[in-house]
Amino acid sequence: MFESGPDSTGSVVFIAGLLDGYHALPYLPLLSKALAEQLGFSLIQVMLSSSHMGYGTSSLQDDVKELDVLFTFLREERAKTRLFIIGHSTGCQDAISYAAYCMHRAAIQGIVLQGPVSDREFMASTVDMYGKYLRLAQRMINDGKGQELMVREVDIAPVTAYRFNSLASVGGDDDMFSSDIPFEKMQALFGQVKTPLIWVHSDKDEYIPDHINKAQLGSQLAAAAPSTRGSIVLPDANHAISDQLSQVRFCEVVVLFIRQVLEHVEQFERTQQQSFHGLSL
């Protein structure tokens, strides 16, 4: 992990997307500054085995196991008590998976999903011979070779049949944010998540096909997740939020979301204390 900002009990853990590593997103310096100055929080970037070129031989399950190691360390060794997650791109799948079934999910107070996109829909619209490769991956899985590498030309990184199928197939493990997922299936995907969520899409996201309405997709995803606290579309932003004005807006959204969650937690704790003191023993 790489931590910037004050030595604090409050931290935001940033989980990047495919091919990313430390400092992968242009808004991270501004975000680190905003968290430190306005909340007294630090920003933590994590390097997983799936970072950079490792995603093709990894999985969401591997990622969340490694995140369990990180959050165990943060809670037990660093005494962190206020923990939030920002997922970017495939980091959003990691964040949803972590909040659904992992060890420290109850300790995560809020999640920001920035750039939650469908790898399947993007690959189907851009990857040459997409159907051929998908059929190859499924044939390898059926033959018991899901963890073996596919042919070299499939991807820039070495990729197993399992991971390609996970990213590219309908209902694959990574297939969470596709626009054509039935609403009932979305509800099943996100219904296990009790952590407050906020969805942040970019209107100029180059990884979402042009025929998909970003605002409509964001609203649909948000409606399927009962713990959603908001959904916004940054009108001038691309997938990485490269323009400065959108970066400022995104940081404002993150800070406001964290403040609202913390205020709700503090209000709940005060109510519990008042109820306790009101009991006659």
Side-chain angles (χ1 to χ4, degrees):
M1 53 171 270
F2 176 89
E3 186 172 17
S4 56
D7 183 9
S8 168
T9 59
S11 294
V12 172
V13 174
F14 177 79
I15 308 171
L18 301 186
L19 288 173
D20 292 336
Y22 290 150
H23 312 300
L25 278 297
Y27 60 72
L28 289 173
L30 186 63
L31 177 63
S32 179
K33 182 179 179 182
L35 292 173
E37 293 181 353
Q38 299 183 51
L39 296 171
F41 273 46
S42 70
L43 176 67
I44 294 173
Q45 301 177 52
V46 58
M47 185 75 73
L48 302 171
S49 297
S50 61
S51 300
H52 295 301
M53 299 287 277
Y55 66 88
T57 54
S58 189
S59 67
L60 296 179
Q61 293 80 12
D62 291 337
D63 286 351
V64 295
K65 287 177 183 177
E66 294 183 5
L67 288 169
D68 260 341
V69 176
L70 172 66
F71 283 110
T72 296
F73 171 76
L74 293 178
R75 297 185 71 199
E76 296 181 2
E77 303 296 329
R78 298 292 306 281
K80 302 282 188 182
T81 56
R82 297 172 295 165
L83 289 166
F84 290 76
I85 290 175
I86 295 177
H88 163 74
S89 198
T90 306
C92 294
Q93 283 100 302
D94 282 335
I96 290 292
S97 299
Y98 197 87
Y101 59 80
C102 282
M103 185 189 306
H104 298 288
R105 60 187 182 275
I108 308 303
Q109 294 182 295
I111 294 174
V112 179
L113 301 169
Q114 188 271 304
V117 299
S118 168
D119 295 283
R120 170 169 65 83
E121 290 180 324
F122 174 73
M123 292 168 72
S125 65
T126 60
V127 176
D128 292 338
M129 304 180 74
Y130 162 82
K132 174 185 174 181
Y133 294 147
L134 182 56
R135 288 190 295 272
L136 172 61
Q138 292 173 341
R139 186 164 63 248
M140 290 175 65
I141 292 170
N142 291 337
D143 291 341
K145 299 178 180 179
Q147 294 303 316
E148 294 190 16
L149 296 178
M150 297 181 67
V151 292
R152 189 180 185 92
E153 64 266 23
V154 167
D155 201 357
I156 188 174
V159 59
T160 64
Y162 160 77
R163 191 62 196 263
F164 188 88
N165 185 72
S166 177
L167 291 164
S169 69
V170 174
D173 289 344
D174 284 270
D175 189 25
M176 296 185 186
F177 310 122
S178 297
S179 63
D180 60 356
I181 297 176
F183 187 72
E184 295 76 14
K185 178 66 181 298
M186 286 186 180
Q187 289 179 307
L189 280 170
F190 307 131
Q192 305 173 70
V193 178
K194 309 303 180 186
T195 309
L197 301 173
I198 186 167
W199 305 76
V200 183
H201 281 88
S202 297
D203 195 47
K204 297 181 180 178
D205 196 317
E206 62 273 26
Y207 292 98
I208 298 179
D210 292 338
H211 70 274
I212 296 174
N213 184 304
K214 281 83 168 179
Q216 184 177 350
L217 174 61
S219 297
Q220 186 177 20
L221 291 167
S227 61
T228 291
R229 297 290 180 85
S231 173
I232 70 166
V233 177
L234 300 174
D236 299 314
N238 62 6
H239 188 60
I241 314 184
S242 299
D243 71 289
Q244 191 168 10
L245 288 178
S246 295
Q247 291 177 20
V248 171
R249 175 60 179 146
F250 175 66
C251 292
E252 291 173 346
V253 168
V254 172
V255 169
L256 179 60
F257 171 69
I258 292 175
R259 279 180 173 159
Q260 290 177 340
V261 170
L262 293 178
E263 287 173 3
H264 179 78
V265 170
E266 291 171 0
Q267 183 179 8
F268 176 77
E269 290 175 346
R270 286 195 298 269
T271 301
Q272 292 295 98
Q273 289 174 355
Q274 291 170 359
S275 300
F276 176 78
H277 290 310
L279 291 176
S280 57
L281 301 178

